[in-house]
Amino acid sequence: MEKTTQLYEGKAKKVYATEDPNLVIVSYKDDATAFNGLKKGTITGKGAINNRMTNNLMRRLEAKGVPTHFVEELSDRETVVKKVSIVPLEVIVRNISAGSFAKRYGVEEGIVFDEPTIEFSYKNDDLGDPLLNSYHALALKLATREEIELIKKYAFMVNDLLKGFMKEIGIDLVDFKLEFGKTADGQIVLADEISPDTCRLWDEKTHEKLDKDRFRRDLGGAEEAYEEVMRRLMGE
Ligand code: ADP
Ligand code: UDP
């Protein structure tokens, strides 16, 4: 499978067309951004780690009944995925208070919830990804009622499975962001990535942050944290 024209360059990945109209190649970069692109930097080696980690997790989720866009890993940084039209919702699931949840509701980070929460943001950089509920998503025709229900079901399935995968390697899954897309034949599938860029991951014993907060908050050691998660997950 070969790349043809570049379709899109985002903050963390590039997307290329292929000879097959239903397949695209994503190429992961080392570029890191935060605060809607205001803070920019590089996390060396991140592209390869996020690519391989996403593929490892998507394969395992697929095997447990979550449909995904994953097709084939081409190289360290490049993967063939089903081309989808992205549902413009950032789907955020939380198990423990952190980040914007803690800030918005004036609570400390680290409160373990009895039940996971779900929220949606409208994926629109110009508007700063505003929070919305499913009625707003319907009003804006971002998805149908059935699609929103399916997305919620898959998001909670991903949470249960991912929490388990992370627990096996001594990590608490705090929160994460998912994106879903619609394939040419109308199927809703999990798309984009699942990585330390898109999840908050805390060591279960030391509570050390093993994710992009090391970059966002200038804690140092981002490269090492990403490598540590990769090592625990894939034994390398
Ligand atoms: P951003 O657009 O937020 O800067 P990225 O740098 O990660 O994000 O760019 C990757 C883009 O590719 C995102 O807009 C994402 O929604 C999109 N995308 C992810 N998976 C697929 C897919 N299977 N088909 C088409 N587009 C996808
Ligand atoms: N997240 C993401 N992309 C975004 C916004 C959030 O991947 O554009 C992830 C983030 O890494 C965290 C979770 O979603 O794991 C919840 O993020 P939060 O709403 O707390 O926002 P933040 O304060 O991190 O911007």
Side-chain angles (χ1 to χ4, degrees), residues 90 92 94 99-100 129 175-177 197-200 216:
E90 300 205 331
I92 293 172
R94 302 176 191 270
S100 67
D129 297 341
D175 58 30
F176 58 94
K177 182 267 300 178
D197 270 13
T198 63
C199 302
R200 283 197 170 89
R216 290 191 192 97

Side-chain angles (χ1 to χ4, degrees), residues 36 41 46 53 60 67 111-112 125 134 139 149 159 192 225 228:
N36 201 19
K46 165 173 98 75
M53 194 182 299
R60 292 162 72 182
I111 302 165
V112 180
D125 280 341
S134 49
E149 285 312 310
N159 184 48
D192 207 50
E228 175 64 17

